[in-house]
């Protein structure tokens, strides 16, 4: 025993007492908080938040008792956080976490296994690999496939382009990029993705020494899906210029619209051209478990690599994602061996051999625990419920004259805008007016904490976005909230009208 005993988990009585005290208090404040939760957000001036946060974070010389600590957490962190489990929080691909996953987090953090080398996570390593294998079966990938848990889509997309780049250099230039660095021809490497693809394609290209210039964006059709004809033309154009197409990134669920690029057609093209096909299914991966809509991802196995986020439509606490690759041997492109961690002669599975992270959380356990508790059947029901609710909501908006609906949701994201009645003769003035009204609607609802929507742009015009991931969202309640959106739009419009009259009189 040392003086520090109570701060660490051990068999001693004061350790266990302290653990129970902290854990029971913390569970209580979370539970009571949700009991009294009415709104997704409690408005506070930004300056006030900054001031309170600055006070909150001060490091103290002496430790405090847990109830004092938790009280200050309640008064600031709980009170002013965005409550993503509330059905009025529909902005981003930001999910309410499922309760079984929250229980898993307690175990993940208490055991604190590190998923880099086998000796630091003897069971956890094989559980992560097993969960990956279960997903590989769902994807319908061949036996050669492999994968690894990641911090999310950003990391997974980065890994895809990293492997694709290194594989291309090995195959066509006999260059081992890990050892020799990039060949001069890397200047000419080109990546293709749709104009609606996630910005991390550009970001990864920038970080991988290819520059954002290497990303060629392909037009989308009226459903915001990549046009294979335009992709074909662009590949031909790039080749004629002497540049080198090496990867196509298909998005399986674009962040704004949830639109799905035509993987089957794209794969025919990439196979013929011998180009790596990456599927960014950060959002759409969950469709694999859908009862009614899994056909939308039936071609996922055609991709050479896949990004999937579990902290989106799989309802896992941040962070939790995975990267899959059709041929496990591709991971050799990122393997380096450290004598103290993963020496070459070891026969155990060291997950660091598949990852760009070293120390890594045992996030696989929360996904596993979720599926143990919920089961594939009910999980699929949830996915389907959210799609049906979103489609019903879109149908409702379609019927309203004061709304312009931009997409028919394939998944559960809806993009729309309030359409004012007032029309200016000056087109530019009209655009500004429409954009201002929609921006104000989004901001005012956020400030009132009634409805949290996102805003996005299409052809320079401001749109509102609902991401209806949360299975607690109902159609009726959503319609009520949208009617409030419309009536706020009308109010703002009336104000503008009065200003106009005023201007003509004076
Ligand atoms: C969210 C998202 C990403 C980025 O994933 P993070 O988990 O936020 O790192 C990449 N691609 C798509 C399509 C996404 O929706």
């Amino acid at each position: 025993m040392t003086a520090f005993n109570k701060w660490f988990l051990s068999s001693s009585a004061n350790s266990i007492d302290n653990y129970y005290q902290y854990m029971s208090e913390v569970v209580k404040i979370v539970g009571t908080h949700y009991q009294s939760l009415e709104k997704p957000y409690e408005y506070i001036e930004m300056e006030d938040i900054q001031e309170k946060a600055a006070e909150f974070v001060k490091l103290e010389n002496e430790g405090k008792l847990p109830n004092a600590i938790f009280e200050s957490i309640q008064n600031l962190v709980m009170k002013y956080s965005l409550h993503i489990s509330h059905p009025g929080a529909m902005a981003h691909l930001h999910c309410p976490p499922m309760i079984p996953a929250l229980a898993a987090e307690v175990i993940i953090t208490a055991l604190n296994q590190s998923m880099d080398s086998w000796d630091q996570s003897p069971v956890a390593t094989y559980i992560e690999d097993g969960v990956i294998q279960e997903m590989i079966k769902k994807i319908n990938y061949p036996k050669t496939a492999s994968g690894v848990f990641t911090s999310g889509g950003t990391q997974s997309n980065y890994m895809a382009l990293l492997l694709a780049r290194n594989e291309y250099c090995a195959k066509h230039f006999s260059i081992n990029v890990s050892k020799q660095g990039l060949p001069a021809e890397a200047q000419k490497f080109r990546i293709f993705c749709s104009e609606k693809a996630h910005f991390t394609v550009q970001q990864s290209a920038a970080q991988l020494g290819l520059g954002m210039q290497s990303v060629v964006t392909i037009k989308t059709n009226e459903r915001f899906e990549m046009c294979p004809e335009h992709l074909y033309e662009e590949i031909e154009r790039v080749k004629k210029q002497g540049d080198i197409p090496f990867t196509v990134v298909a998005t399986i669920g674009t962040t704004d619209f949830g639109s799905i690029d035509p993987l089957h057609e794209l794969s025919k093209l990439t196979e013929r051209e011998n180009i790596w096909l990456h599927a960014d299914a950060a959002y759409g991966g969950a469709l694999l478990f859908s009862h009614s809509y899994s056909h939308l991802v039936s071609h996922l196995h055609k991709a050479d690599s896949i990004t999937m986020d579990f902290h989106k439509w799989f309802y896992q606490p941040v962070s939790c994602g995975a990267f899959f690759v059709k041929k496990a041997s591709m991971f050799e492109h990122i393997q380096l061996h450290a004598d103290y961690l993963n020496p070459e002669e070891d026969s155990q599975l060291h997950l660091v051999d598949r990852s760009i992270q070293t120390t890594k959380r045992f996030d696989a356990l929360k996904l596993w625990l979720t599926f143990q508790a919920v089961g594939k059947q009910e999980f699929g029901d949830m996915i389907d419920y959210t799609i049906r609710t979103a489609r019903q909501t879109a149908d409702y908006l379609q019927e309203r004259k004061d709304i312009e609906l931009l997409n028919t949701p394939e998944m559960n994201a809806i993009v729309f805008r309030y359409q004012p009645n007032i029309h200016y003769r000056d087109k530019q003035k009209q655009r500004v007016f429409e954009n201002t009204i929609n921006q104000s609607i989004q901001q005012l609802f956020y400030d009132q904490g009634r409805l949290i929507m996102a805003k996005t742009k299409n052809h320079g015009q401001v749109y509102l976005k609902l991401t209806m991931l949360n299975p607690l969202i109902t159609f009726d309640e959503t319609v009520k909230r949208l009617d409030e959106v419309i009536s706020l739009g009308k109010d703002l419009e009336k104000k503008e009208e009065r200003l106009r009259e005023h201007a003509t009189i004076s």
Side-chain angles (χ1 to χ4, degrees):
M1 256 223 241
T2 73
F4 312 115
N5 232 48
K6 76 170 193 175
W7 298 119
F8 298 92
L9 280 165
S10 78
S11 58
S12 76
N14 61 351
S15 150
I16 301 299
D17 284 350
N18 203 28
Y19 180 70
Y20 280 153
Q21 192 187 352
Y22 268 89
M23 294 312 280
S24 57
E25 292 256 355
V26 83
V27 169
K28 237 187 314 182
I29 67 163
V30 174
T32 50
H33 182 75
Y34 279 90
Q35 253 169 9
S36 58
L37 196 68
E38 281 167 2
K39 298 198 294 186
Y41 180 60
E42 186 67 45
Y43 179 71
I44 176 170
E45 294 281 343
M46 198 126 67
E47 292 76 24
D48 288 343
I49 288 199
Q50 280 176 322
E51 210 171 282
K52 282 177 195 283
E55 185 59 33
F56 180 88
V57 297
K58 281 192 182 135
L59 303 182
E60 305 283 344
N61 224 8
E62 302 290 332
K64 291 181 191 162
L65 289 174
N67 44 9
I69 301 168
F70 289 135
E71 199 184 305
S72 53
I73 289 187
Q74 248 169 330
N75 292 338
L76 181 70
V77 183
M78 305 299 286
K79 192 167 176 195
Y80 299 114
S81 283
L82 179 64
H83 293 293
I84 204 66
S85 299
H86 193 288
M90 297 194 244
H92 301 279
L93 279 165
H94 181 183
C95 70
M98 278 207 255
I99 291 171
L102 302 184
E105 286 282 6
V106 175
I107 298 168
I108 293 167
T109 54
L111 296 178
N112 210 26
Q113 303 291 286
S114 180
M115 312 303 290
D116 39 347
S117 61
W118 172 81
D119 59 326
Q120 301 181 83
S121 49
V123 189
T125 293
Y126 290 104
I127 292 177
E128 171 169 331
D129 189 49
V131 173
I132 289 284
Q133 288 303 326
E134 287 295 306
M135 298 302 291
I136 282 174
K137 274 190 244 161
K138 257 337 241 186
I139 294 166
N140 217 358
Y141 248 176
K143 289 236 157 42
T144 54
S146 183
V148 71
F149 270 71
T150 64
S151 64
T154 305
Q155 189 185 337
S156 300
N157 283 347
Y158 175 84
M159 287 182 74
L161 292 174
L162 173 63
L163 295 188
R165 182 197 71 179
N166 289 10
E167 170 66 7
Y168 195 90
C169 291
K171 220 159 69 182
H172 298 269
F173 301 102
S174 303
I175 279 188
N176 177 334
V177 178
S178 299
K179 289 198 175 129
Q180 300 162 272
L182 291 172
E185 290 87 348
Q187 277 285 328
K188 299 181 177 167
F189 284 8
R190 292 295 176 266
I191 300 161
F192 301 80
C193 65
S194 96
E195 58 196 5
K196 298 296 176 198
H198 200 264
F199 79 93
T200 48
V201 177
Q202 270 86 357
Q203 186 193 56
S204 302
Q207 293 168 353
L208 287 166
L210 304 175
M212 290 198 280
Q213 54 121 26
S214 67
V215 181
V216 180
T217 51
I218 305 300
K219 280 187 215 146
T220 52
N221 63 15
E222 70 292 344
R223 293 160 59 83
F224 306 101
E225 302 157 346
M226 194 198 289
C227 294
E229 298 78 20
H230 190 227
L231 173 65
Y232 174 76
E233 285 165 22
E234 284 296 280
I235 290 177
E236 292 303 313
R237 182 185 63 79
V238 160
K239 283 197 299 194
K240 249 191 223 125
Q241 267 179 13
D243 290 333
I244 306 169
F246 82 103
T247 303
V248 170
V249 178
T251 312
I252 308 305
T254 55
T255 311
D256 273 349
F257 304 101
S259 49
I260 299 171
D261 290 342
L263 253 187
H264 181 54
E265 276 154 290
L266 299 182
S267 70
K268 280 195 264 178
L269 234 166
T270 52
E271 266 166 41
R272 199 176 63 211
E273 298 286 327
N274 229 325
I275 299 177
W276 187 290
L277 177 60
H278 174 63
D280 179 358
Y283 180 8
L287 287 171
L288 288 169
F289 289 86
S290 159
H291 306 301
S292 311
Y293 308 101
S294 61
H295 60 275
L296 295 173
V297 287
S298 59
H299 297 291
L300 207 50
H301 63 277
K302 300 216 163 100
D304 295 290
S305 57
I306 301 169
T307 286
M308 217 181 280
D309 263 0
F310 303 123
H311 58 216
K312 284 179 178 162
W313 210 355
F314 283 87
Y315 308 115
Q316 297 302 300
V318 175
S319 63
C320 197
F323 171 71
F324 301 93
V325 62
K326 199 185 237 165
K327 287 191 205 142
S329 59
M330 293 298 130
F331 280 131
E332 285 165 21
H333 289 302
I334 55 168
Q335 280 164 16
L336 295 170
H337 294 280
D339 292 337
Y340 54 82
L341 201 64
N342 59 338
E344 220 158 350
E345 66 275 13
D346 270 11
S347 61
Q348 298 98 336
L349 172 59
H350 297 308
L351 290 176
V352 69
D353 291 344
R354 301 179 186 170
S355 183
I356 56 167
Q357 283 173 283
T358 308
T359 302
K360 187 161 75 75
R361 285 169 56 93
F362 182 22
D363 287 318
L365 189 72
K366 61 199 190 198
L367 188 64
W368 175 84
L369 206 149
T370 301
F371 274 107
Q372 288 296 300
V374 180
K376 285 191 286 189
Q377 179 66 35
E378 191 173 349
F379 182 75
D381 292 342
M382 272 185 217
I383 300 296
D384 290 354
Y385 172 82
T386 63
I387 297 176
R388 282 198 309 271
T389 311
R391 291 187 178 182
Q392 211 181 349
T393 307
D395 287 344
Y396 175 79
L397 290 174
Q398 181 85 65
E399 294 301 310
R400 305 262 341 194
K401 274 202 218 55
D402 29 27
I403 291 287
E404 180 202 343
L405 179 70
L406 203 54
N407 72 323
T408 321
E410 200 132 36
M411 307 217 270
N412 49 26
I414 302 178
V415 183
F416 67 100
R417 68 192 322 222
Y418 175 73
Q419 191 69 63
N421 248 322
I422 296 184
H423 286 284
Y424 291 99
R425 231 169 280 143
D426 181 348
K427 274 207 174 118
Q428 180 55 22
K429 211 168 168 187
Q430 180 71 17
R431 271 168 89 94
V432 172
F433 177 52
E434 291 176 2
N435 287 348
T436 314
I437 284 201
N438 280 285
Q439 253 156 357
S440 306
I441 292 175
Q442 193 267 347
Q443 188 65 47
L444 285 167
F445 270 91
Y446 192 98
D447 290 352
Q448 291 164 3
R450 281 193 297 171
L451 174 60
I452 310 298
M453 295 179 282
K455 56 179 189 298
T456 187
K457 278 190 185 152
N458 194 50
H459 300 303
Q461 302 278 81
V462 175
Y463 283 83
L464 303 169
K465 179 168 96 166
L466 299 181
T467 312
M468 300 174 72
L469 272 188
N470 189 341
L472 303 181
I473 292 172
T474 64
F475 171 69
D476 292 345
E477 272 181 335
T478 307
V479 161
K480 255 188 233 156
R481 292 196 171 95
L482 287 170
D483 287 347
E484 288 176 29
V485 166
I486 293 166
S487 78
L488 177 63
K490 285 199 196 312
D491 288 349
L492 292 170
E493 202 179 329
K494 267 189 214 132
K495 252 188 223 161
E496 176 66 21
E497 204 158 23
R498 276 199 297 274
L499 283 178
R500 274 218 298 195
E501 279 166 12
H502 209 73
T504 33
I505 294 164
S506 57

